[in-house]
Amino acid sequence: MALNLEHRAKDAFLDDEFDLAVDLYTQALDMDPNNADLFADRAQANIKLQNYTEAVADANRAIELNPSMPKAYLRKGAACMKLEEYQTAKAALEAGLTVTPGDSRFSRLIEECDKLIAEETLGLTKTVMPGTPQSIVSSSTTNVNVNETDASSKPDVASQPEDLIPRKPKYRHDYYNSPTEVVLTIFAKGVPKNNVLIDFGEQILSVTISIPGDEIYHFQPRLFGKIIPDKCRYLVLPSIIEIHLAKAEAVTWPSLEFRKDKAPLQRTHSTGTNLKPK
């Protein structure tokens, strides 16, 4: 049955029916939840729908299940580039290149990442004012069109709704700002540490809680601002999961997730915190 759904999903994708393809892949995954190919293919359908955060989550799961799958790294890299997560994209593409050395798709996109990173760095340098700490300088971003060459070359259609709310999440979360970080608390009581997987990108947070016999919890927001992945950390405590997101800029986040209609507040200089419940 799962195989039949997969075939129907592929046909829907080729017919540019990307919403239907995602739905069919999801049904297939309900029957075969450890199928890396299904996750990787749903990632590509999500890319076509401009659901880039979901695509990254699917690609991450595919890589976790099958670390030797080139298309999973390729799709993660493509989705991260769309999210302007160029460093994260480059890391994924470089990992994919080690799996399939000499693949020109990876080499081409890595070169494009290098170019975009350089442009972003140049834009950052231009904004530096005398006496301004580098840690609070606003960075500029550059849009990029990424077309994966191993899939349909038809243009992207349909847009993801700005505030897509599927169903009530299993775990509640709150967050608050400090001058240097955002502290996110997920209220997940009695979750073993080994069942928690958290991945940090430049502006993506991916949280997965997998309890045997229970529905897998995924939380993959595109964050309001950029973070420094290497400085981020988390703690799994008896009643909560506490996630510390190191800000790339010392500005107050008016929301946890990115929203076009919200502008950052003034740079934070005090040592106090601003409580901002979700």
Side-chain angles (χ1 to χ4, degrees):
M1 184 65 178
L3 185 60
N4 179 51
L5 287 167
E6 181 179 4
H7 290 324
R8 289 171 57 194
K10 290 181 184 293
D11 289 340
F13 184 92
L14 293 175
D15 291 337
D16 289 352
E17 296 179 1
F18 304 123
D19 282 305
L20 176 59
V22 168
D23 182 59
L24 291 169
Y25 280 128
T26 301
Q27 292 180 50
L29 281 165
D30 288 339
M31 298 180 179
D32 191 4
N34 294 318
N35 189 318
D37 277 299
L38 291 175
F39 278 107
D41 290 343
R42 190 174 69 173
Q44 181 64 358
N46 271 317
I47 288 174
K48 289 294 184 180
L49 288 172
Q50 301 179 26
N51 297 340
Y52 303 123
T53 302
E54 289 84 348
V56 172
D58 281 343
N60 279 336
R61 182 60 178 152
I63 292 167
E64 180 184 348
L65 291 168
N66 184 0
S68 62
M69 179 181 290
K71 65 181 179 181
Y73 294 100
L74 193 65
R75 288 163 189 179
K76 180 177 180 178
C80 285
M81 289 181 76
K82 285 289 192 178
L83 290 170
E84 300 177 0
E85 297 271 350
Y86 305 130
Q87 294 284 2
T88 305
K90 182 180 178 182
L93 294 166
E94 288 177 336
L97 191 58
T98 64
V99 173
T100 175
D103 192 323
S104 61
R105 295 173 300 172
F106 288 97
S107 301
R108 176 178 59 81
L109 289 176
I110 289 171
E111 289 178 4
E112 193 167 352
C113 278
D114 285 334
K115 178 182 177 182
L116 291 164
I117 291 168
E119 290 177 357
E120 191 173 50
T121 302
L122 180 61
L124 177 64
T125 303
K126 287 181 178 180
T127 64
V128 175
M129 299 296 292
T132 303
Q134 185 70 21
S135 62
I136 63 172
V137 175
S138 299
S139 62
S140 64
T141 56
T142 306
N143 292 325
V144 57
N145 291 322
V146 180
N147 293 315
E148 185 179 352
T149 57
D150 73 333
S152 171
S153 60
K154 297 175 182 178
D156 290 347
V157 295
S159 297
Q160 179 186 15
E162 185 69 19
D163 294 303
L164 181 62
I165 304 176
R167 56 180 179 269
K168 186 176 180 179
K170 181 178 178 64
Y171 302 110
R172 182 173 61 88
H173 64 270
D174 291 337
Y175 79 97
Y176 67 86
N177 282 277
S178 81
T180 59
E181 67 178 7
V182 169
V183 180
L184 170 65
T185 300
I186 297 178
F187 297 91
K189 186 176 181 179
V191 174
K193 183 177 180 179
N194 291 339
N195 295 90
V196 178
L197 177 64
I198 297 181
D199 185 38
F200 302 103
E202 292 177 53
Q203 202 171 347
I204 297 176
L205 171 67
S206 177
V207 180
T208 301
I209 301 175
S210 179
I211 305 295
D214 201 355
E215 183 178 1
I216 297 177
Y217 169 81
H218 292 293
F219 180 47
Q220 292 98 13
R222 181 183 179 190
L223 300 170
F224 177 82
K226 290 193 174 184
I227 59 175
I228 306 172
D230 291 343
K231 293 185 178 181
C232 296
R233 58 189 175 88
Y234 68 94
L235 298 170
V236 180
L237 302 172
S239 298
I240 64 172
I241 300 171
E242 187 174 274
I243 304 170
H244 294 256
L245 304 171
K247 294 178 180 177
E249 295 182 88
V251 296
T252 300
W253 292 9
S255 63
L256 178 67
E257 300 186 43
F258 175 82
R259 288 183 57 180
K260 292 180 180 179
D261 61 336
K262 288 206 172 190
L265 303 183
Q266 62 183 3
R267 290 189 174 89
T268 306
H269 298 289
S270 65
T271 57
T273 59
N274 296 318
L275 183 63
K276 185 70 177 180
K278 177 70 177 176

